[in-house]
């Protein structure tokens, strides 16, 4: 579907866009939006393929659609954004969407944000997406500033940097109440930052794996991380290549195979509410959300009144011994 100059009064609902194919470096194999902001509801974007950008959907030139309860599954591109590409100050609102098994030979297996784009992404699931470049799930570059809230990043990967999120080139994303689990990359399994200023609040990072930066790889970035848990990750945990270390406040780093408060962040343990204690995840005691906290967790709000809740998930199981 091709949409140009479509207003917010238009609704596209209940369609499946599948097996679309765009070659010759063109964009938007499922749906192409140029200067268009329709409501797109209960749609599926499945197995679409583009030589350019945006396997499932391309938003370009100030396109700001409202996309709700949509599934982006198995789309792929040679360029940016296996599932969805946002370019040239396009800022879609995404609510309750699933990005699963999308792939790119470049950046942003699930979503790519380029050139001043600022999508609002809420309550979305990113699982099994992959990229050869940056951002297995989401790539954020060139002054883009997405707001990402209550999302889950599970099992995304990249051969480059940022197994879940790759952030670079003067971008300013804000993340809150997000969970990062089982993501994989060579550098920065959960996130990589380069020349950017992300803010991360109430997030949980667990069981991610990378040889360099199992959670965060920071390069010439100013990063603020508050009320977050980094626990049980495999590899060197936080790596700073250039510039200042990320600034941690009320964070718990515990049980990471490459060490916890070491290297560029070693002086922050014990300052500003930072701790290194077992967060007491529920695990099998709450199969629906194993990264929920035990009631007696040092990260639970009741047990840490000076900081409040640490991590993305509330206490969901009885106290553990």
């Amino acid at each position: 579907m091709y949409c140009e100059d479509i207003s917010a009064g238009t609704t596209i609902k209940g369609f499946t866009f599948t097996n679309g194919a765009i070659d010759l470096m063109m964009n938007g194999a499922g749906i192409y939006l140029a200067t268009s902001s329709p409501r797109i509801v209960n749609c599926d974007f499945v197995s679409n393929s583009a030589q350019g950008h945006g396997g499932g959907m391309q938003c370009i030139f100030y396109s700001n659609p409202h996309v709700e309860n949509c599934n982006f599954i198995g789309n792929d591109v040679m360029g940016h954004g296996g599932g969805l590409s946002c370019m040239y100050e396009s800022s879609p609102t995404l609510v309750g969407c699933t990005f699963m098994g999308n792939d790119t030979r470049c950046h942003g297996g699930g979503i790519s944000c380029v050139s001043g784009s600022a999508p609002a992404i809420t309550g979305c699931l990113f699982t099994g997406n992959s990229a050869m470049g940056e951002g297995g799930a989401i790539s954020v570059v060139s002054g883009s500033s997405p707001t990402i809230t209550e999302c889950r990043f599970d099992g995304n990967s990249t051969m480059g940097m940022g197994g879940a999120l790759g952030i670079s080139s003067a971008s300013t994303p804000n993340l809150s109440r997000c969970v990062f689990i089982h993501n994989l990359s060579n550098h920065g399994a959960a996130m990589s930052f380069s020349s950017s200023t992300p803010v991360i609040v109430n997030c949980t990072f667990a069981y991610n794996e990378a040889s360099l930066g199992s959670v965060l790889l920071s390069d010439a970035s100013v990063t603020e991380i508050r009320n977050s848990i980094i626990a049980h990750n495999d590899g060197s945990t936080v790596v700073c290549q250039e510039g200042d270390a990320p600034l941690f406040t009320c964070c718990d780093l515990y049980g990471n195979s490459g060490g916890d408060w070491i290297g560029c962040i070693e002086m922050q343990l014990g300052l500003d509410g930072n701790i290194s204690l077992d967060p007491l995840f529920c695990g099998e005691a709450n199969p629906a959300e194993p990264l929920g906290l035990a009631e007696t967790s040092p990260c639970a709000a009741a047990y840490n009144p000076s900081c409040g809740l640490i991590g993305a998930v509330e206490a969901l199981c009885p106290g553990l011994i």
Side-chain angles (χ1 to χ4, degrees), residues 182-243:
H182 300 311
N183 299 289
L184 176 68
S185 76
N186 292 320
H187 303 88
M191 296 185 191
S192 66
F193 315 129
S194 178
S195 303
S196 295
T197 55
V199 175
I200 301 164
V201 181
N202 282 110
C203 290
T204 296
F205 303 86
Y207 308 108
N208 302 284
E209 181 179 354
S211 57
L212 189 63
S214 64
V215 176
L216 308 176
L217 178 74
S218 180
D219 182 17
S221 294
V222 179
T223 309
E224 183 179 348
I225 305 171
R226 304 196 302 267
N227 292 78
S228 294
I229 297 172
I230 297 175
H232 306 301
N233 299 283
D234 189 4
S236 55
T237 309
V238 177
V239 173
C240 310
Q241 292 188 319
E242 291 185 13

Short mmCIF file of all heavy atoms in Angstrom, two decimals, residues 182-243:
data_model
loop_
_atom_site.label_atom_id
_atom_site.label_comp_id
_atom_site.label_asym_id
_atom_site.label_seq_id
_atom_site.Cartn_x
_atom_site.Cartn_y
_atom_site.Cartn_z
N HIS A 182 18.27 -12.01 27.57
CA HIS A 182 18.74 -12.96 26.55
C HIS A 182 19.08 -12.31 25.22
O HIS A 182 18.97 -12.94 24.16
CB HIS A 182 17.70 -14.07 26.32
CG HIS A 182 17.38 -14.89 27.52
ND1 HIS A 182 18.35 -15.45 28.33
CD2 HIS A 182 16.19 -15.24 28.07
CE1 HIS A 182 17.78 -16.12 29.32
NE2 HIS A 182 16.47 -15.99 29.20
N ASN A 183 19.51 -11.05 25.24
CA ASN A 183 19.98 -10.42 24.01
C ASN A 183 21.46 -10.73 23.82
O ASN A 183 22.20 -10.95 24.78
CB ASN A 183 19.73 -8.92 24.07
CG ASN A 183 18.25 -8.60 24.21
OD1 ASN A 183 17.49 -8.77 23.27
ND2 ASN A 183 17.83 -8.16 25.40
N LEU A 184 21.92 -10.70 22.56
CA LEU A 184 23.25 -11.19 22.24
C LEU A 184 23.91 -10.29 21.19
O LEU A 184 23.27 -9.87 20.22
CB LEU A 184 23.13 -12.62 21.69
CG LEU A 184 24.40 -13.31 21.19
CD1 LEU A 184 25.33 -13.61 22.36
CD2 LEU A 184 24.03 -14.60 20.45
N SER A 185 25.20 -10.00 21.40
CA SER A 185 25.97 -9.29 20.38
C SER A 185 27.45 -9.44 20.69
O SER A 185 27.84 -9.98 21.73
CB SER A 185 25.60 -7.80 20.34
OG SER A 185 26.19 -7.12 21.43
N ASN A 186 28.28 -8.93 19.79
CA ASN A 186 29.71 -8.87 20.07
C ASN A 186 30.03 -7.72 21.02
O ASN A 186 30.91 -7.84 21.87
CB ASN A 186 30.49 -8.69 18.76
CG ASN A 186 30.41 -9.90 17.86
OD1 ASN A 186 30.48 -11.03 18.33
ND2 ASN A 186 30.26 -9.68 16.57
N HIS A 187 29.31 -6.61 20.88
CA HIS A 187 29.59 -5.42 21.66
C HIS A 187 28.27 -4.81 22.15
O HIS A 187 27.46 -4.36 21.33
CB HIS A 187 30.34 -4.37 20.83
CG HIS A 187 31.62 -4.86 20.24
ND1 HIS A 187 31.67 -5.48 19.02
CD2 HIS A 187 32.89 -4.83 20.71
CE1 HIS A 187 32.93 -5.81 18.76
NE2 HIS A 187 33.68 -5.44 19.77
N GLY A 188 28.07 -4.79 23.47
CA GLY A 188 26.86 -4.19 24.03
C GLY A 188 25.63 -5.02 23.77
O GLY A 188 24.81 -4.70 22.90
N ALA A 189 25.48 -6.12 24.51
CA ALA A 189 24.38 -7.05 24.23
C ALA A 189 23.02 -6.40 24.39
O ALA A 189 22.12 -6.65 23.58
CB ALA A 189 24.48 -8.27 25.14
N ALA A 190 22.82 -5.60 25.43
CA ALA A 190 21.55 -4.91 25.59
C ALA A 190 21.55 -3.59 24.83
O ALA A 190 20.62 -3.30 24.09
CB ALA A 190 21.25 -4.67 27.06
N MET A 191 22.62 -2.79 25.00
CA MET A 191 22.66 -1.48 24.35
C MET A 191 24.09 -1.08 24.04
O MET A 191 25.02 -1.42 24.78
CB MET A 191 22.10 -0.39 25.27
CG MET A 191 20.66 -0.51 25.64
SD MET A 191 20.18 0.96 26.60
CE MET A 191 18.59 0.44 27.19
N SER A 192 24.26 -0.33 22.98
CA SER A 192 25.51 0.37 22.71
C SER A 192 25.18 1.84 22.48
O SER A 192 24.17 2.17 21.86
CB SER A 192 26.22 -0.21 21.49
OG SER A 192 25.47 0.00 20.30
N PHE A 193 26.03 2.72 23.03
CA PHE A 193 25.85 4.17 22.88
C PHE A 193 27.10 4.73 22.22
O PHE A 193 28.22 4.41 22.62
CB PHE A 193 25.69 4.87 24.23
CG PHE A 193 24.75 4.20 25.18
CD1 PHE A 193 25.16 3.93 26.48
CD2 PHE A 193 23.47 3.86 24.82
CE1 PHE A 193 24.31 3.33 27.38
CE2 PHE A 193 22.61 3.26 25.70
CZ PHE A 193 23.03 2.99 26.99
N SER A 194 26.93 5.62 21.26
CA SER A 194 28.06 6.32 20.67
C SER A 194 27.66 7.76 20.40
O SER A 194 26.70 8.02 19.67
CB SER A 194 28.48 5.63 19.37
OG SER A 194 29.54 6.32 18.76
N SER A 195 28.37 8.69 21.04
CA SER A 195 28.13 10.12 20.85
C SER A 195 26.67 10.48 21.03
O SER A 195 26.08 11.21 20.22
CB SER A 195 28.61 10.56 19.45
OG SER A 195 29.97 10.25 19.27
N SER A 196 26.06 9.97 22.11
CA SER A 196 24.64 10.20 22.36
C SER A 196 24.40 10.42 23.84
O SER A 196 25.30 10.22 24.67
CB SER A 196 23.81 9.00 21.86
OG SER A 196 23.90 8.89 20.46
N THR A 197 23.17 10.81 24.21
CA THR A 197 22.85 11.11 25.60
C THR A 197 21.55 10.41 26.01
O THR A 197 20.53 11.06 26.23
CB THR A 197 22.73 12.63 25.83
OG1 THR A 197 21.77 13.17 24.90
CG2 THR A 197 24.06 13.32 25.63
N PRO A 198 21.57 9.10 26.13
CA PRO A 198 20.36 8.39 26.56
C PRO A 198 20.09 8.56 28.04
O PRO A 198 21.01 8.79 28.85
CB PRO A 198 20.69 6.93 26.23
CG PRO A 198 22.18 6.86 26.30
CD PRO A 198 22.67 8.19 25.83
N VAL A 199 18.82 8.44 28.42
CA VAL A 199 18.39 8.41 29.82
C VAL A 199 17.61 7.12 30.03
O VAL A 199 16.66 6.83 29.29
CB VAL A 199 17.53 9.64 30.18
CG1 VAL A 199 17.02 9.52 31.60
CG2 VAL A 199 18.32 10.93 30.00
N ILE A 200 18.01 6.35 31.05
CA ILE A 200 17.43 5.03 31.31
C ILE A 200 16.93 5.00 32.74
O ILE A 200 17.70 5.22 33.68
CB ILE A 200 18.48 3.93 31.09
CG1 ILE A 200 19.00 3.98 29.65
CG2 ILE A 200 17.92 2.56 31.42
CD1 ILE A 200 20.28 3.21 29.44
N VAL A 201 15.64 4.73 32.93
CA VAL A 201 15.03 4.77 34.26
C VAL A 201 14.20 3.50 34.47
O VAL A 201 13.40 3.12 33.61
CB VAL A 201 14.14 6.02 34.43
CG1 VAL A 201 13.54 6.06 35.83
CG2 VAL A 201 14.93 7.28 34.15
N ASN A 202 14.37 2.86 35.63
CA ASN A 202 13.57 1.68 36.00
C ASN A 202 13.57 0.61 34.92
O ASN A 202 12.52 0.17 34.45
CB ASN A 202 12.14 2.08 36.36
CG ASN A 202 12.03 2.68 37.75
OD1 ASN A 202 11.78 3.87 37.88
ND2 ASN A 202 12.21 1.86 38.78
N CYS A 203 14.76 0.18 34.52
CA CYS A 203 14.89 -0.91 33.57
C CYS A 203 15.59 -2.10 34.23
O CYS A 203 16.33 -1.94 35.21
CB CYS A 203 15.65 -0.47 32.32
SG CYS A 203 14.72 0.70 31.28
N THR A 204 15.35 -3.30 33.70
CA THR A 204 15.99 -4.51 34.20
C THR A 204 16.74 -5.18 33.06
O THR A 204 16.19 -5.41 31.99
CB THR A 204 14.94 -5.49 34.76
OG1 THR A 204 14.31 -4.89 35.90
CG2 THR A 204 15.60 -6.79 35.20
N PHE A 205 18.02 -5.48 33.32
CA PHE A 205 18.90 -6.13 32.35
C PHE A 205 19.38 -7.45 32.96
O PHE A 205 20.09 -7.44 33.97
CB PHE A 205 20.11 -5.26 32.04
CG PHE A 205 19.77 -3.87 31.54
CD1 PHE A 205 19.52 -2.84 32.43
CD2 PHE A 205 19.73 -3.61 30.18
CE1 PHE A 205 19.23 -1.55 31.97
CE2 PHE A 205 19.43 -2.33 29.71
CZ PHE A 205 19.18 -1.31 30.61
N ALA A 206 19.01 -8.59 32.36
CA ALA A 206 19.39 -9.87 32.93
C ALA A 206 19.63 -10.90 31.83
O ALA A 206 18.92 -10.93 30.82
CB ALA A 206 18.31 -10.38 33.88
N TYR A 207 20.67 -11.72 32.02
CA TYR A 207 20.96 -12.87 31.15
C TYR A 207 21.24 -12.45 29.71
O TYR A 207 20.95 -13.19 28.77
CB TYR A 207 19.83 -13.90 31.22
CG TYR A 207 19.47 -14.29 32.63
CD1 TYR A 207 18.29 -13.86 33.22
CD2 TYR A 207 20.35 -15.06 33.39
CE1 TYR A 207 17.97 -14.19 34.53
CE2 TYR A 207 20.04 -15.40 34.71
CZ TYR A 207 18.86 -14.96 35.27
OH TYR A 207 18.55 -15.28 36.57
N ASN A 208 21.84 -11.29 29.53
CA ASN A 208 22.32 -10.87 28.22
C ASN A 208 23.78 -11.30 28.07
O ASN A 208 24.47 -11.52 29.07
CB ASN A 208 22.19 -9.35 28.07
CG ASN A 208 20.77 -8.89 28.25
OD1 ASN A 208 19.94 -9.05 27.37
ND2 ASN A 208 20.45 -8.30 29.41
N GLU A 209 24.27 -11.39 26.83
CA GLU A 209 25.61 -11.94 26.63
C GLU A 209 26.35 -11.22 25.52
O GLU A 209 25.85 -11.05 24.41
CB GLU A 209 25.52 -13.43 26.30
CG GLU A 209 26.87 -14.09 26.09
CD GLU A 209 26.76 -15.56 25.78
OE1 GLU A 209 25.63 -16.10 25.84
OE2 GLU A 209 27.79 -16.18 25.46
N ALA A 210 27.58 -10.78 25.83
CA ALA A 210 28.47 -10.19 24.83
C ALA A 210 29.90 -10.31 25.33
O ALA A 210 30.15 -10.30 26.54
CB ALA A 210 28.13 -8.73 24.57
N SER A 211 30.85 -10.41 24.43
CA SER A 211 32.24 -10.48 24.84
C SER A 211 32.71 -9.13 25.38
O SER A 211 33.59 -9.07 26.25
CB SER A 211 33.12 -10.91 23.67
OG SER A 211 32.95 -10.04 22.56
N LEU A 212 32.16 -8.05 24.88
CA LEU A 212 32.54 -6.71 25.33
C LEU A 212 31.28 -5.91 25.64
O LEU A 212 30.57 -5.47 24.74
CB LEU A 212 33.35 -6.00 24.24
CG LEU A 212 34.02 -4.68 24.63
CD1 LEU A 212 35.05 -4.90 25.72
CD2 LEU A 212 34.67 -4.03 23.41
N GLY A 213 30.98 -5.78 26.92
CA GLY A 213 29.78 -5.06 27.33
C GLY A 213 28.55 -5.93 27.27
O GLY A 213 27.73 -5.79 26.35
N SER A 214 28.41 -6.85 28.23
CA SER A 214 27.25 -7.74 28.20
C SER A 214 25.95 -6.98 28.38
O SER A 214 24.88 -7.48 28.02
CB SER A 214 27.38 -8.83 29.28
OG SER A 214 27.36 -8.26 30.57
N VAL A 215 26.03 -5.76 28.92
CA VAL A 215 24.84 -4.92 29.04
C VAL A 215 25.03 -3.62 28.26
O VAL A 215 24.30 -3.33 27.32
CB VAL A 215 24.50 -4.63 30.51
CG1 VAL A 215 23.33 -3.66 30.60
CG2 VAL A 215 24.17 -5.91 31.23
N LEU A 216 26.05 -2.85 28.60
CA LEU A 216 26.21 -1.53 28.01
C LEU A 216 27.62 -1.34 27.46
O LEU A 216 28.60 -1.69 28.11
CB LEU A 216 25.97 -0.43 29.06
CG LEU A 216 24.67 -0.49 29.87
CD1 LEU A 216 24.66 0.62 30.91
CD2 LEU A 216 23.46 -0.37 28.95
N LEU A 217 27.70 -0.76 26.26
CA LEU A 217 28.95 -0.30 25.70
C LEU A 217 28.80 1.18 25.42
O LEU A 217 27.96 1.58 24.62
CB LEU A 217 29.29 -1.05 24.41
CG LEU A 217 30.58 -0.59 23.72
CD1 LEU A 217 31.79 -1.10 24.49
CD2 LEU A 217 30.63 -1.08 22.28
N SER A 218 29.60 2.00 26.10
CA SER A 218 29.46 3.45 25.99
C SER A 218 30.70 4.04 25.35
O SER A 218 31.82 3.78 25.78
CB SER A 218 29.25 4.08 27.38
OG SER A 218 29.12 5.48 27.29
N ASP A 219 30.50 4.86 24.31
CA ASP A 219 31.60 5.48 23.59
C ASP A 219 31.27 6.95 23.38
O ASP A 219 30.33 7.28 22.65
CB ASP A 219 31.80 4.77 22.25
CG ASP A 219 32.97 5.34 21.45
OD1 ASP A 219 33.80 6.05 22.04
OD2 ASP A 219 33.04 5.07 20.24
N ALA A 220 32.02 7.81 24.04
CA ALA A 220 31.85 9.27 23.89
C ALA A 220 30.40 9.69 24.11
O ALA A 220 29.86 10.52 23.38
CB ALA A 220 32.34 9.72 22.52
N SER A 221 29.75 9.10 25.10
CA SER A 221 28.36 9.40 25.40
C SER A 221 28.21 9.86 26.84
O SER A 221 29.02 9.53 27.71
CB SER A 221 27.48 8.16 25.16
OG SER A 221 27.45 7.83 23.79
N VAL A 222 27.15 10.61 27.09
CA VAL A 222 26.79 11.03 28.45
C VAL A 222 25.51 10.30 28.80
O VAL A 222 24.43 10.63 28.29
CB VAL A 222 26.60 12.55 28.54
CG1 VAL A 222 26.20 12.95 29.95
CG2 VAL A 222 27.88 13.27 28.11
N THR A 223 25.63 9.28 29.63
CA THR A 223 24.52 8.37 29.89
C THR A 223 24.08 8.46 31.35
O THR A 223 24.91 8.39 32.25
CB THR A 223 24.93 6.92 29.59
OG1 THR A 223 25.50 6.86 28.28
CG2 THR A 223 23.73 5.99 29.67
N GLU A 224 22.79 8.58 31.57
CA GLU A 224 22.23 8.62 32.93
C GLU A 224 21.35 7.39 33.12
O GLU A 224 20.43 7.13 32.35
CB GLU A 224 21.40 9.89 33.10
CG GLU A 224 20.83 10.06 34.50
CD GLU A 224 20.03 11.34 34.64
OE1 GLU A 224 20.11 12.20 33.74
OE2 GLU A 224 19.33 11.47 35.66
N ILE A 225 21.66 6.61 34.17
CA ILE A 225 20.94 5.37 34.45
C ILE A 225 20.44 5.41 35.88
O ILE A 225 21.25 5.48 36.82
CB ILE A 225 21.84 4.14 34.22
CG1 ILE A 225 22.42 4.16 32.80
CG2 ILE A 225 21.05 2.85 34.45
CD1 ILE A 225 23.48 3.12 32.56
N ARG A 226 19.12 5.35 36.07
CA ARG A 226 18.54 5.46 37.41
C ARG A 226 17.64 4.27 37.71
O ARG A 226 16.94 3.77 36.85
CB ARG A 226 17.73 6.76 37.53
CG ARG A 226 18.50 8.03 37.22
CD ARG A 226 17.75 9.28 37.73
NE ARG A 226 16.42 9.42 37.18
CZ ARG A 226 16.13 10.12 36.09
NH1 ARG A 226 17.09 10.72 35.42
NH2 ARG A 226 14.88 10.21 35.67
N ASN A 227 17.65 3.84 38.97
CA ASN A 227 16.70 2.83 39.47
C ASN A 227 16.62 1.61 38.55
O ASN A 227 15.54 1.15 38.20
CB ASN A 227 15.31 3.45 39.64
CG ASN A 227 15.28 4.47 40.76
OD1 ASN A 227 15.75 5.60 40.57
ND2 ASN A 227 14.77 4.10 41.91
N SER A 228 17.77 1.08 38.18
CA SER A 228 17.81 -0.05 37.26
C SER A 228 18.62 -1.21 37.83
O SER A 228 19.51 -1.01 38.66
CB SER A 228 18.39 0.40 35.90
OG SER A 228 17.52 1.33 35.28
N ILE A 229 18.29 -2.42 37.37
CA ILE A 229 18.97 -3.64 37.78
C ILE A 229 19.77 -4.18 36.62
O ILE A 229 19.27 -4.30 35.50
CB ILE A 229 17.96 -4.72 38.23
CG1 ILE A 229 17.17 -4.26 39.45
CG2 ILE A 229 18.67 -6.04 38.53
CD1 ILE A 229 16.02 -5.21 39.82
N ILE A 230 21.04 -4.53 36.90
CA ILE A 230 21.90 -5.21 35.94
C ILE A 230 22.41 -6.45 36.65
O ILE A 230 23.26 -6.38 37.53
CB ILE A 230 23.06 -4.31 35.49
CG1 ILE A 230 22.53 -3.07 34.74
CG2 ILE A 230 24.03 -5.08 34.63
CD1 ILE A 230 23.60 -2.07 34.36
N ALA A 231 21.86 -7.63 36.32
CA ALA A 231 22.16 -8.83 37.10
C ALA A 231 22.25 -10.07 36.21
O ALA A 231 21.48 -10.23 35.26
CB ALA A 231 21.10 -9.04 38.17
N HIS A 232 23.20 -10.94 36.54
CA HIS A 232 23.33 -12.27 35.94
C HIS A 232 23.56 -12.21 34.43
O HIS A 232 23.09 -13.09 33.69
CB HIS A 232 22.09 -13.12 36.25
CG HIS A 232 21.77 -13.20 37.71
ND1 HIS A 232 22.65 -13.70 38.65
CD2 HIS A 232 20.66 -12.82 38.41
CE1 HIS A 232 22.09 -13.64 39.85
NE2 HIS A 232 20.90 -13.10 39.73
N ASN A 233 24.30 -11.23 33.99
CA ASN A 233 24.67 -11.15 32.58
C ASN A 233 26.02 -11.81 32.36
O ASN A 233 26.83 -11.95 33.28
CB ASN A 233 24.70 -9.68 32.14
CG ASN A 233 23.35 -9.02 32.28
OD1 ASN A 233 22.46 -9.23 31.47
ND2 ASN A 233 23.16 -8.24 33.34
N ASP A 234 26.28 -12.23 31.12
CA ASP A 234 27.47 -13.02 30.81
C ASP A 234 28.44 -12.19 29.98
O ASP A 234 28.13 -11.80 28.85
CB ASP A 234 27.05 -14.28 30.05
CG ASP A 234 28.20 -15.26 29.87
OD1 ASP A 234 29.30 -14.98 30.41
OD2 ASP A 234 28.01 -16.28 29.20
N GLY A 235 29.63 -11.93 30.54
CA GLY A 235 30.64 -11.14 29.86
C GLY A 235 30.94 -9.88 30.63
O GLY A 235 30.37 -9.61 31.69
N SER A 236 31.87 -9.09 30.13
CA SER A 236 32.18 -7.81 30.76
C SER A 236 30.92 -6.94 30.74
O SER A 236 30.29 -6.77 29.71
CB SER A 236 33.32 -7.11 30.04
OG SER A 236 33.03 -6.97 28.66
N THR A 237 30.57 -6.37 31.90
CA THR A 237 29.22 -5.83 32.07
C THR A 237 29.03 -4.46 31.44
O THR A 237 28.20 -4.26 30.57
CB THR A 237 28.88 -5.78 33.57
OG1 THR A 237 29.14 -7.06 34.14
CG2 THR A 237 27.42 -5.41 33.78
N VAL A 238 29.79 -3.47 31.92
CA VAL A 238 29.70 -2.11 31.41
C VAL A 238 31.08 -1.70 30.92
O VAL A 238 32.05 -1.75 31.68
CB VAL A 238 29.21 -1.14 32.49
CG1 VAL A 238 29.20 0.30 31.97
CG2 VAL A 238 27.82 -1.53 32.98
N VAL A 239 31.18 -1.32 29.68
CA VAL A 239 32.47 -0.96 29.08
C VAL A 239 32.40 0.48 28.58
O VAL A 239 31.45 0.86 27.88
CB VAL A 239 32.82 -1.90 27.92
CG1 VAL A 239 34.07 -1.41 27.20
CG2 VAL A 239 33.03 -3.32 28.43
N CYS A 240 33.39 1.29 28.96
CA CYS A 240 33.48 2.67 28.50
C CYS A 240 34.70 2.77 27.59
O CYS A 240 35.82 2.52 28.02
CB CYS A 240 33.65 3.62 29.68
SG CYS A 240 32.46 3.38 31.01
N GLN A 241 34.48 3.16 26.34
CA GLN A 241 35.60 3.25 25.42
C GLN A 241 36.23 4.63 25.42
O GLN A 241 37.44 4.76 25.44
CB GLN A 241 35.13 2.86 24.01
CG GLN A 241 34.77 1.39 23.90
CD GLN A 241 34.50 0.95 22.48
OE1 GLN A 241 33.87 1.68 21.70
NE2 GLN A 241 34.96 -0.24 22.12
N GLU A 242 35.43 5.67 25.38
CA GLU A 242 35.93 7.04 25.47
C GLU A 242 34.91 7.88 26.23
O GLU A 242 33.73 7.54 26.29
CB GLU A 242 36.15 7.65 24.08
CG GLU A 242 37.29 7.03 23.30
CD GLU A 242 37.53 7.76 21.98
OE1 GLU A 242 36.97 8.87 21.81
OE2 GLU A 242 38.25 7.21 21.14
N GLY A 243 35.36 8.98 26.79
CA GLY A 243 34.45 9.89 27.47
C GLY A 243 34.16 9.46 28.89
O GLY A 243 34.78 8.54 29.45
#
